[in-house]
Amino acid sequence: MSNANTNTSKKTDEVAIQLNGVHKWYGQFHVLKDINLTVQRGERIVICGPSGSGKSTLIRCINRLEEHQQGDIIVDNIELTGNLKHIDAIRREVGMCFQHFNLFPHLTVLENCTLAPIWVRKMPKKEAEEIAMHYLERVKIPDQALKFPGQLSGGQQQRVAIARSLCMNPRIMLFDEPTSALDPEMIAEVLDTMIELAHTGMTMICVTHEMGFARKVADRVIFMDGGEIIEENVPEEFFNNPQSDRTQKFLSQILAH
Amino acid sequence: MSLTEQQYAPGEHPDLPAPLGEAGLIAWFKKRLFSSIGNTILTIITLYFLYDVLSTVIFWTLTGATFVGETKADCTLGGACWLVIGDRFHQFMYGLYPKTEYWRPNLTFVLMILAIIPVLFDKIPHRGKFLLFSTLFPFIAFFLLSGGLGMETVDSSDWGGLLLTLVLGVTGIVASFPIGIVLALGRRSNMPIVRTLCVCFIEFVRGVPLITILFMASNMLPLFLPEGVNFDKLLRALIGVALFSSAYMAEVIRGGLQAIPKGQFEGADAMGLSYWQSMRLIILPQALRIVIPGIVNTFIGLYKDTTLVSIIGLFDLIGIGQVAVADVKWRGLAPETYVFIALLFFISCFSMSRYSLWLENKLHTGHKR
Ligand SMILES: Nc1ncnc2c1ncn2[C@@H]1O[C@H](COP(=O)(O)OP(=O)(O)OP(=O)(O)O)[C@@H](O)[C@H]1O
Ligand SMILES: [Mg+2]
């Protein structure tokens, strides 16, 4: 199948993330059912699906914000088990952006960005600040560096959150509905940032309902429903020629307006 | 609103100055105090009562009070007889601390102020070095007060008055804060044993009165210790007070931890911060800020609760006051004594609450959430 994307994928044959037969339960509730997924390094994946289908749970399992009970998750050649060393190692390499940004309100934008490099990577403060300013420039808000998160707009906050993750120089980025708490104008600015990031060859997994974004940058779109992966395909095929009924129904719903 | 308000074309409305408040002192009085007949009557009655109370208070404490003289017989003006305070001033300050050694508590007090300043205010230059001194201060203070190494040793049973109250209060505050944090974190821990221990400790301590803890510390603890091991009565009281208030502190701080949204924990986790790093850098700074009023409340409560040590035979301000009241020479001067003690307590507690207000305001700027 040819990739219809205008931008060339930087995907390689190296495996970045592998999930084999992953199951997860919340109490008696079976949220994730036999998830199998391999993500190559440099690949950009978009996950979509109806509310409650387990999308957030899935990507939160990848950096152990949630614990899976069955199956294997291997990130960057490190297997996720209860081993705290492994969890820390994976979290250092995997950046995450949340729906509600989760910036630290008591620290300035700059301090938000330098915190992890200084404390986790043991980087000198000066160097960490230079790197932080570099990424703040890349997300186009260097002039806000000394403000507190509460003084920024939602779109600016989300871009700070992206910059904050990038400061750790992660090999993989996870996005959990990064634009769904934002107004339309702000959505555009955050998506632009993410598209730019995709062009750098970052391995990305995005849970999002922004289908324009999916068409533009995704190498693969994954559709989840009821805790299962129902369908996965390149965007062109996924949108023009959905295989399952459920995918068709979902697409007709979200593309209706 | 005036009827002749000017009309502007859409989009052309200029910025206008905000409406003036009703200016002037007289206008203010008129509006707040004399706006109607009923209000005026109420104002007059209130003013009369205020005058009545204040004039009595001023007469008793100042105009009708006696400040110079030798004995109670010199107090003839009808107001307070402050001579008792002057006569026993040293006891109120130092208890039975030897007179020749007063410079040691005095020096300790000055050093204490110096040690507290860098802890309270973060904008002073070279704060790091001063903080080092602050951490060393408890040891310096202990050495200065109890002596040794060529200085006359002063047994802690001779410490008394304000000195003892401050030793108890400051040590209790300084110890209960970190212990409280650890207990609060322990109570929220995922580790069942740690959690159970913390819950048991907190619930036990909160379930019994401080007096019983002090009694247990002073009378029962020695029974459990091996023969010959006999540690200081003051130390035992200190431990009792510190443990007692740390249980309360733990619950106050836990309230703050509870108020931190889950996203903050996840944000910290996702960045790879360790448990202790995320607590220290992300969670506690926010949680403690939320509960500053509760923390200071506990501090003030603790400071005043130290007066209970007079029951186990330590001569803190209240203990010294009781001695003074019992003195035949000054018989019947309990009001003066207790008013003086109240004043000393009020100064300390009021400063604490002002500091907490200041801190809240300072931490508030720019941090809206
Ligand atoms: N902590 C939890 N305890 C119990 N059930 C949970 C918990 N978190 C999520 N769930 C349930 O698991 C299911 C999947 O949740 P998840 O957040 O992964 O959905 P989602 O696909 O991200 O949905 P959305 O698009 O609304 O974000 C939902 O039905 C939810 O009710
Ligand atoms: Mg979700």
Side-chain angles (χ1 to χ4, degrees):
Chain A
M1 256 177 280
S2 75
N3 191 336
N5 290 351
T6 43
N7 49 85
T8 48
S9 165
K10 302 229 171 82
K11 140 182 175 187
T12 64
D13 286 340
E14 213 179 319
V15 174
I17 302 170
Q18 183 151 23
L19 286 84
N20 297 327
V22 171
H23 289 262
K24 172 167 179 63
W25 288 263
Y26 282 123
Q28 285 302 309
F29 179 57
H30 202 168
V31 224
L32 295 182
K33 302 169 185 163
D34 190 28
I35 302 287
N36 291 289
L37 177 66
T38 306
V39 181
Q40 308 293 338
R41 191 162 295 295
E43 215 178 356
R44 282 95 41 142
I45 308 268
V46 164
I47 302 180
C48 59
S51 182
S53 54
K55 308 176 300 286
S56 303
T57 311
L58 172 63
I59 70 165
R60 289 156 59 86
C61 280
I62 293 172
N63 66 352
R64 236 326 144 114
L65 288 182
E66 302 289 352
E67 198 176 326
H68 63 286
Q69 282 107 4
Q70 209 176 307
D72 312 313
I73 300 181
I74 298 158
V75 182
D76 223 20
N77 294 324
I78 308 170
E79 183 171 359
L80 260 182
T81 54
N83 187 328
L84 287 178
K85 279 226 176 67
H86 289 184
I87 295 175
D88 283 343
I90 285 173
R91 284 178 178 166
R92 275 198 292 273
E93 304 306 329
V94 179
M96 181 154 187
C97 290
F98 301 85
Q99 182 175 6
H100 296 288
F101 331 132
N102 296 357
L103 292 173
F104 306 130
H106 63 301
L107 300 176
T108 62
V109 165
L110 188 64
E111 286 164 340
N112 263 280
C113 292
T114 56
L115 188 88
I118 290 175
W119 291 94
V120 180
R121 293 239 190 264
K122 312 286 176 219
M123 199 182 271
K125 186 163 176 234
K126 196 102 194 280
E127 197 186 333
E129 280 177 356
E130 277 166 21
I131 291 177
M133 285 314 293
H134 169 76
Y135 283 111
L136 286 175
E137 259 157 49
R138 246 182 64 188
V139 300
K140 306 201 177 61
I141 34 175
D143 45 328
Q144 313 285 356
L146 298 179
K147 286 199 185 167
F148 288 97
Q151 297 167 321
L152 304 184
S153 76
Q156 290 172 328
Q157 291 191 41
Q158 192 59 291
R159 284 184 284 155
V160 170
I162 295 175
R164 178 176 77 173
S165 302
L166 292 179
C167 286
M168 281 294 279
N169 197 14
R171 291 157 72 95
I172 298 164
M173 282 288 289
L174 308 175
F175 293 86
D176 189 359
E177 307 206 30
T179 55
S180 59
L182 300 177
D183 295 339
E185 327 156 38
M186 300 175 183
I187 292 181
E189 64 192 30
V190 170
L191 287 181
D192 283 344
T193 310
M194 289 170 62
I195 291 170
E196 230 175 78
L197 183 63
H199 289 331
T200 64
M202 175 74 73
T203 312
M204 290 165 69
I205 301 186
C206 312
V207 174
T208 180
H209 291 145
E210 295 298 329
M211 291 305 141
F213 173 79
R215 274 180 199 276
K216 235 186 236 160
V217 302
D219 294 308
R220 252 191 300 161
V221 181
I222 290 177
F223 175 70
M224 284 185 74
D225 194 6
E228 287 175 281
I229 294 184
I230 304 290
E231 185 168 346
E232 58 175 287
N233 217 332
V234 294
E236 192 78 355
E237 285 290 305
F238 180 83
F239 290 113
N240 297 343
N241 193 9
Q243 303 295 311
S244 88
D245 294 347
R246 279 198 264 182
T247 318
Q248 281 166 13
K249 192 162 158 256
F250 175 74
L251 283 177
S252 68
Q253 271 167 357
I254 63 164
L255 297 177
H257 21 235
Chain B
M1 234 186 289
S2 82
L3 292 170
T4 57
E5 196 175 349
Q6 205 182 329
Q7 299 294 314
Y8 299 98
E12 304 273 298
H13 206 300
D15 294 340
L16 301 176
L20 290 175
E22 272 163 275
L25 207 56
I26 296 181
W28 188 91
F29 273 108
K30 241 187 183 150
K31 188 168 167 222
R32 306 290 164 109
L33 301 176
F34 303 102
S35 58
S36 67
I37 296 182
N39 239 343
T40 309
I41 294 175
L42 274 182
T43 303
I44 290 171
I45 295 177
T46 315
L47 280 180
Y48 174 75
F49 274 110
L50 266 182
Y51 167 78
D52 201 45
V53 170
L54 277 182
S55 61
T56 317
V57 167
I58 289 174
F59 173 79
W60 190 80
T61 53
L62 299 171
T63 49
T66 311
F67 293 92
V68 279
E70 289 301 318
T71 64
K72 199 180 158 204
D74 295 332
C75 298
T76 50
L77 297 175
C81 185
W82 294 121
L83 304 179
V84 57
I85 309 297
D87 187 42
R88 298 187 150 258
F89 186 74
H90 287 140
Q91 276 198 17
F92 275 114
M93 292 297 122
Y94 311 102
L96 301 177
Y97 212 87
K99 275 210 164 58
T100 51
E101 306 293 316
Y102 279 169
W103 64 273
R104 281 157 54 181
N106 291 345
L107 179 60
T108 313
F109 184 75
V110 173
L111 291 180
M112 179 186 84
I113 304 278
L114 290 181
I116 285 180
I117 287 174
V119 177
L120 296 190
F121 304 101
D122 62 352
K123 287 264 152 55
I124 45 177
H126 304 291
R127 185 170 181 229
K129 285 174 212 156
F130 287 115
L131 279 178
L132 185 68
F133 169 70
S134 307
T135 32
L136 291 178
F137 171 75
F139 304 99
I140 300 174
F142 176 76
F143 168 67
L144 265 177
L145 290 178
S146 57
L149 290 183
M151 278 195 298
E152 186 188 334
T153 45
V154 182
D155 198 80
S156 70
S157 55
D158 290 342
W159 306 6
L162 184 62
L163 166 64
L164 185 68
T165 296
L166 280 175
V167 167
L168 280 164
V170 172
T171 319
I173 286 173
V174 169
S176 68
F177 190 51
I179 300 178
I181 291 179
V182 171
L183 284 172
L185 293 177
R187 190 166 184 171
R188 287 169 52 94
S189 158
N190 294 327
M191 291 177 275
I193 297 181
V194 174
R195 193 174 53 232
T196 315
L197 281 177
C198 291
V199 171
C200 289
F201 176 84
I202 292 170
E203 295 306 336
F204 172 73
V205 171
R206 285 202 307 170
V208 296
L210 177 56
I211 296 216
T212 56
I213 291 189
L214 288 175
F215 264 120
M216 282 195 273
S218 79
N219 299 332
M220 282 168 60
L221 201 61
L223 301 180
F224 296 113
L225 291 175
E227 198 75 28
V229 179
N230 176 32
F231 67 98
D232 199 272
K233 193 177 196 174
L234 173 60
L235 184 60
R236 279 180 268 150
L238 271 177
I239 294 175
V241 168
L243 291 185
F244 185 78
S245 46
S246 52
Y248 281 87
M249 191 59 72
E251 287 299 279
V252 170
I253 292 171
R254 193 166 67 93
L257 293 173
Q258 225 87 292
I260 303 297
K262 196 163 157 248
Q264 293 291 309
F265 292 87
E266 290 178 350
D269 281 348
M271 295 200 321
L273 294 174
S274 70
Y275 173 80
W276 289 108
Q277 283 173 337
S278 63
M279 286 304 139
R280 189 162 80 79
L281 301 167
I282 311 293
I283 307 301
L284 282 173
Q286 298 182 58
L288 295 179
R289 193 185 81 210
I290 297 174
V291 293
I292 290 172
I295 292 176
V296 175
N297 209 13
T298 313
F299 281 168
I300 290 177
L302 154 75
Y303 188 71
K304 293 191 292 191
D305 279 350
T306 58
T307 49
L308 288 173
V309 299
S310 62
I311 289 172
I312 57 166
L314 288 172
F315 290 97
D316 77 318
L317 273 174
I318 292 287
I320 293 289
Q322 282 164 343
V323 174
V325 171
D327 186 347
V328 253
K329 192 175 157 204
W330 302 108
R331 177 144 304 181
L333 295 186
E336 285 82 349
T337 312
Y338 287 116
V339 165
F340 177 66
I341 293 173
L343 182 70
L344 288 181
F345 271 100
F346 182 78
I347 291 171
S348 314
C349 297
F350 189 63
S351 338
M352 284 193 249
S353 80
R354 292 316 294 186
Y355 172 74
S356 98
L357 268 186
W358 175 83
L359 189 65
E360 275 173 58
N361 282 334
K362 190 188 81 140
L363 293 179
H364 203 71
T365 47
H367 290 53
K368 46 179 176 122
R369 290 218 279 170

